[in-house]
Amino acid sequence: MTLEPADRVDDVPPSGIRRFFELAEEMDDIISLGVGEPDFSAPWAAREAAITSLERGQTSYTANKGKRELRERIARFEHAEHDLQYDPETELLVTAGASEGLDLAFRALLDPGDTLAVAQPCYISYVPGATFASVDVLDVQTRAEDEFKLTRDALEASGAAEADALVYCYPNNPTGATMTGDELADVAAFCREHDLAVLADEIYADLTYEHEHTSIATLPGMRERTVVFNGFSKAFAMTGFRLGYAMGPEQAITAMNRVHQYTMLSAPTTAQHAAIEALDSCLDEVDEMTAQYDRRRNYVLSRFEEMGLSCFPAAGAFYAFPECPWDDADEFAEALLQSEKVAVVPGTAFGAGGDGHLRISYATGLDELKTAMNRIESFIS
Amino acid sequence: MSSRREILDLLGENARYTTEDLAHMTEFTESEVEDIVAEFEEAGVITGYQAVINWDAVDTDEERVRATVELNVALDRETNYGDIADRIAKFPEVTSLRLVSGDYDFDLTVEGDSMREVSHFISDKVAPIPEITQTVTHYIMESYKEQGMNFDDHDDDDRLSISP
C-alpha cells in the first residue's frame, strides 16, 4: 500500500479557479471581482456573541445536529422568511457550512453508481463532491437565452428523467440567475413525474432582488422529496464561521446526521452561538447589506449595457455573468488581469455551461467597482 | 423601485458620486437624478457637501485643535433657545451646534489653530453672552470615527482575490 490518491480523487481535476487565483496572488494592487464572498464583516452583535461564548468557556461539542436553541431559531426564521416548516428536532441539521450539508447528502442519500443531475453552470463543489461519493454525474445545461434558468426542456434534453436526484442552486453562483415559483413549478412537475429527489442549494435565498425567493420545497408534492440547504455565509456575511444547515424529511436528515456524527461530530460551537445572535438581532443588517448589493448590481448591469456587453438581468446572489467579448474567456480573463489588474473568473471554471462568459462578483465596494468597470471598458474598447 | 430617499442615502455615503454614478445605481435617469438633487438642495434637505477629514493623519507641523463645549443657559421671557443658537452659530470657529437633553443645554464643536486660540474664543466670545451660565470645554485628543466613517477600522480586505 502506498499513499497514492484513490482513483476517485485522482479523477477530479484541480479547480478551474485555482490557476487564476495563483496568477492574481502574484500581482499587487489588483481589483478583484473574483471574490465569492461578502466584503462586509459579520454583524458586530454576532461577533460579540462569539467572543462572549469563548469568554464563558463554551468550547465543548454541541449535540450532533446542532444546539437545540439554534435549530429552533432557524426553524422560526425559515418559516417566517421562506414559508418552510420543519421540525427542529427531527428535520433540521446544523452543518459546517452549506457545503458540508451537500457533501453529506451526496454520501448519505445516494448510492455509488446512482446518477445525480447537476444544473450547470454551477458552484464548483457539486461535481467533485458527487465524484468523491462515487456517484455518476449528469450535466444539465442551462442556457443564456433562458437567462440560465432550469427548464423542463433542458432536463428532458439531458436525459435527467433517468437520474436519481437533481442538485441546483438558485439564486445561482456563478450566473446570478433566479427562478420564480411559476418557473420552479415545471421543474417540480418533472421531478415528481420521474421520481427525482431534489437537493436545493438556497444559500443565496435572501439575496434575491427582483422578486421574493421561492423554495421548491413549498410546491405541492415536493417537501417529501427535497432537502433544502442554507447557511449564514452569504446573507449574514459569516463565511469564516462555517455554519450552514440542511432541512428535509426526517429519514433524510437522520441519514445525513449519521455521516455527520462520524465525521464532523458537530458544527463549530462558537459559530453556533454567533448564529443564534445573528438570527435574534441582525436581520436589519442583512436588509442593509442586501440593499447595497442591489445598488451595486444595478450599477454593474447598467455599465455592461453601456459597454454593449450582453448580460441578462441577473437578479440574485452577488454575481453578474456577462458574455465574454472574446472567443476564449480564459484568455480574456488572463489578459484583463495582466493588462488592467482586474481579476474576473472565466465561466469555464464553473463547468462547460459557463463557456463564453465571465463571472463578475459585485461583493466589492462601489468605488472599486467603478474603477474596475472603467478599466474593463477601456480594455474592450 | 428606487426611491428619492435612496439618492440621499448614496450621497450621504459618498458625496462625490456623480449624477451618472447615481443613475447607474438606481432606476432614475441622469436628468431625473439632477432634478431630485436640485430639489433637495432647494428645499434645504441637502445643505452642503464636505469631505470627512482625519486631521490627525495630515502630515503638517500646523496644529489643529478641536474641542467640544457643554453650555448651560438661563432663559428669560424675551429669549429662547433659538435666539441663543443664532448668536453662537454665527461664529466661524463653531463647526457644529446642537441643543441636547440632559445635564447641559447646548453641545458645540469649536475649531482653532491652537489650544490658546480655542480657550480665548470660549472665554472672550462665548462665556460673556448674558444667558450663558456655564461652559465646560473638552479638548479632543484623537478622533476614531467622524460622520459614520472609521479612521482606522482595521478593515483591510483579507479575502482571497479569487474564491468559489
Side-chain angles (χ1 to χ4, degrees), chain B residues 16-27:
Chain B
R16 295 187 71 185
Y17 284 139
T18 63
T19 305
E20 191 188 357
D21 294 337
L22 295 169
H24 279 309
M25 286 181 262
T26 62
E27 289 166 22

Side-chain angles (χ1 to χ4, degrees), chain A residues 21-79:
Chain A
F21 170 73
E22 281 163 4
L23 271 174
E25 286 304 287
E26 285 169 12
M27 300 175 70
D28 292 329
D29 301 328
I30 63 163
I31 298 181
S32 182
L33 306 184
V35 190
E37 66 175 316
D39 60 328
F40 301 103
S41 292
W44 176 243
R47 285 186 268 162
E48 184 73 27
I51 294 166
T52 305
S53 77
L54 291 171
E55 284 174 344
R56 288 181 181 166
Q58 293 167 324
T59 54
S60 318
Y61 294 129
T62 67
N64 293 134
K65 52 192 166 189
K67 283 177 72 66
R68 178 197 293 263
E69 215 181 339
L70 175 59
R71 281 181 278 124
E72 284 170 353
R73 278 170 172 76
I74 292 170
R76 281 206 295 275
F77 169 78
E78 287 292 340
H79 185 213

